Amino acid sequence: MKIPLRLLAIAAVAAVLSPSRLHAWGAEGHEMVNQLALSSLPADFPRWALTPANARQVVFLANEPDFLRDSKDRMMLHAATVDHDFDLEEIADAGMDVATLSPFRYEFAVQFAAARAAHVANFRPIEPQYNGNHTAGFPGFLPWTIAEYYGQLQQAFSCVKTFEKYGTPDEVAGARANALWIMAVMGHFVGDGSQPLHVSKYFYGWTGPNPKGYVSRGGWHGWIDSGAIEKAGITAAELLPRVRPAVPVSVAPRPDGRDPVFVAVVDYLKATNLQLIPLYQLEKDGPLRMGVPPTAEGRAFIDDRLLDGGEMLGSLWLTAWRHAGPDYYLQSRLLRRNAATHPAAP
Ligand SMILES: [Zn+2]
């Protein structure tokens, strides 16, 4: 497939923008997921989001949630750090069923706290010295984070469509900038969701009984986040020809009443979790051994994770755009404002 020039330009810019980081995918990985998503979109996705300048912004802001992690503000970190992960196994450890999770974040938090307390023997004790952010009792809220950003984006697109009809050029520009910010930040979290160590309680290495002898050393998480990508020299440019087209997510009401996008996100994270054992096995067998340049097999594994993230992200963006109707409240306010500013001629 021929790679559009604008995508090559994005890749070039991203290569310059990327400092190395050790949490979530590294900066390069997150930027690649956003780049892949930008190139997964069909012709009915708005072209203004894909101009070189706006695409660069979406790629740059892929790392905005990790910029926050460097803060010392414990209240903000308490709220924000739980957004990046989902220790899927802990749902079953707490006696809950992942197929019936509430799509409402705080309802789930209350339910999980009670379930965890009732199955406390299945959890490692919370050590206060490692719980400065007061989040250790939770499995992470990544599914809710992604689904909530989806809702934000859909509403932001509704505002864009309404301002495009009734707003001033400045209002249109502001509404589009807001939507771009949400697209980018949401991309960070969808990218987290394609990394198996972000959807498992075995995030820093294997813990507990370890009959297969999987890696448990420090540095493992960072190795998959960024070390392996760096050693293998994986770039967006080489992945772009393999981008999978965005596919709209079903928004049809579900018999159980749960939000269909939330369920699609949970399914996406479950699929990523299925890659956890293969990932540990690749470390053990050699293709993704810590500190060693990945083999072709190890590289292909990382490639597929990044491509999966890009596909899911593009699919969510596309779904949000297609299902964003007019904001009727905003429309009526703008119509009143416009009528007062430019009264109809008698
Ligand atoms: Zn993250």
Side-chain angles (χ1 to χ4, degrees), residues 23-25 30 65-66 69 84 188-189 192 198:
H23 32 233
W25 288 117
H30 279 297
D66 276 346
R69 287 182 186 247
H84 299 251
H188 175 95
F189 295 109
D192 279 347
H198 271 259

Side-chain angles (χ1 to χ4, degrees), residues 23-24 50 60 65 92 126 154 168 170 172 207 243 275 285 300 325 335 340:
H23 32 233
L50 305 177
F60 170 72
I126 294 172
Q154 187 182 1
T168 65
D170 280 352
V172 172
T207 55
V243 162
Q275 298 299 320
D285 294 345
L335 282 170

Side-chain angles (χ1 to χ4, degrees), residues 95-318:
M96 297 176 78
D97 183 352
V98 75
T100 59
L101 293 177
S102 169
F104 301 109
R105 176 188 289 247
Y106 300 116
E107 186 169 79
F108 165 76
V110 170
Q111 291 169 349
F112 184 82
R116 188 185 191 284
H119 297 80
V120 72
N122 294 339
F123 292 84
R124 282 194 301 178
I126 294 172
E127 299 171 83
Q129 68 270 31
Y130 300 122
N131 191 24
N133 297 333
H134 293 243
T135 55
F138 293 104
F141 290 81
L142 185 57
W144 293 268
T145 305
I146 295 172
E148 290 160 8
Y149 272 112
Y150 172 86
Q152 275 197 45
L153 184 61
Q154 187 182 1
Q155 177 57 21
F157 281 150
S158 288
C159 289
V160 167
K161 290 178 179 180
T162 308
F163 278 117
E164 284 175 343
K165 253 181 147 171
Y166 305 107
T168 65
D170 280 352
E171 288 169 338
V172 172
R176 288 176 175 176
N178 183 45
L180 289 167
W181 185 93
I182 298 167
M183 283 172 61
V185 173
M186 178 181 173
H188 175 95
F189 295 109
V190 176
D192 279 347
S194 71
Q195 212 282 41
L197 301 178
H198 271 259
V199 294
S200 170
K201 67 179 181 181
Y202 301 105
F203 46 87
Y204 282 142
W206 204 263
T207 55
N210 190 4
K212 298 268 177 74
Y214 290 142
V215 64
S216 57
R217 282 181 289 152
W220 164 235
H221 189 106
W223 170 247
I224 295 304
D225 273 350
S226 53
I229 290 176
E230 202 176 313
K231 276 266 197 249
I234 297 170
T235 65
E238 72 193 47
L239 294 179
L240 285 171
R242 296 173 53 198
V243 162
R244 302 167 194 154
V247 180
V249 174
S250 170
V251 296
R254 291 173 48 82
D256 66 3
R258 295 192 307 150
D259 182 89
V261 172
F262 174 79
V263 173
V265 170
V266 171
D267 287 345
Y268 164 65
L269 301 180
K270 281 165 62 182
T272 300
N273 180 272
L274 290 178
Q275 298 299 320
L276 182 82
I277 298 300
L279 172 60
Y280 271 92
Q281 196 65 44
L282 285 172
E283 199 284 335
K284 185 181 174 187
D285 294 345
L288 278 172
R289 181 150 306 148
M290 273 178 69
V292 179
T295 66
E297 190 186 357
R299 183 192 188 100
F301 182 91
I302 301 289
D303 287 353
D304 281 343
R305 298 291 82 240
L306 296 168
L307 287 162
D308 257 19
E311 179 187 354
M312 182 61 175
L313 179 58
S315 299
L316 288 170
W317 286 346
L318 178 63

Side-chain angles (χ1 to χ4, degrees), residues 17-21 23 25-32 62-63 66 226:
L17 286 173
S18 306
S20 193
R21 299 178 70 87
H23 32 233
W25 288 117
E28 295 86 351
H30 279 297
E31 289 171 356
M32 280 191 262
N63 286 297
D66 276 346
S226 53

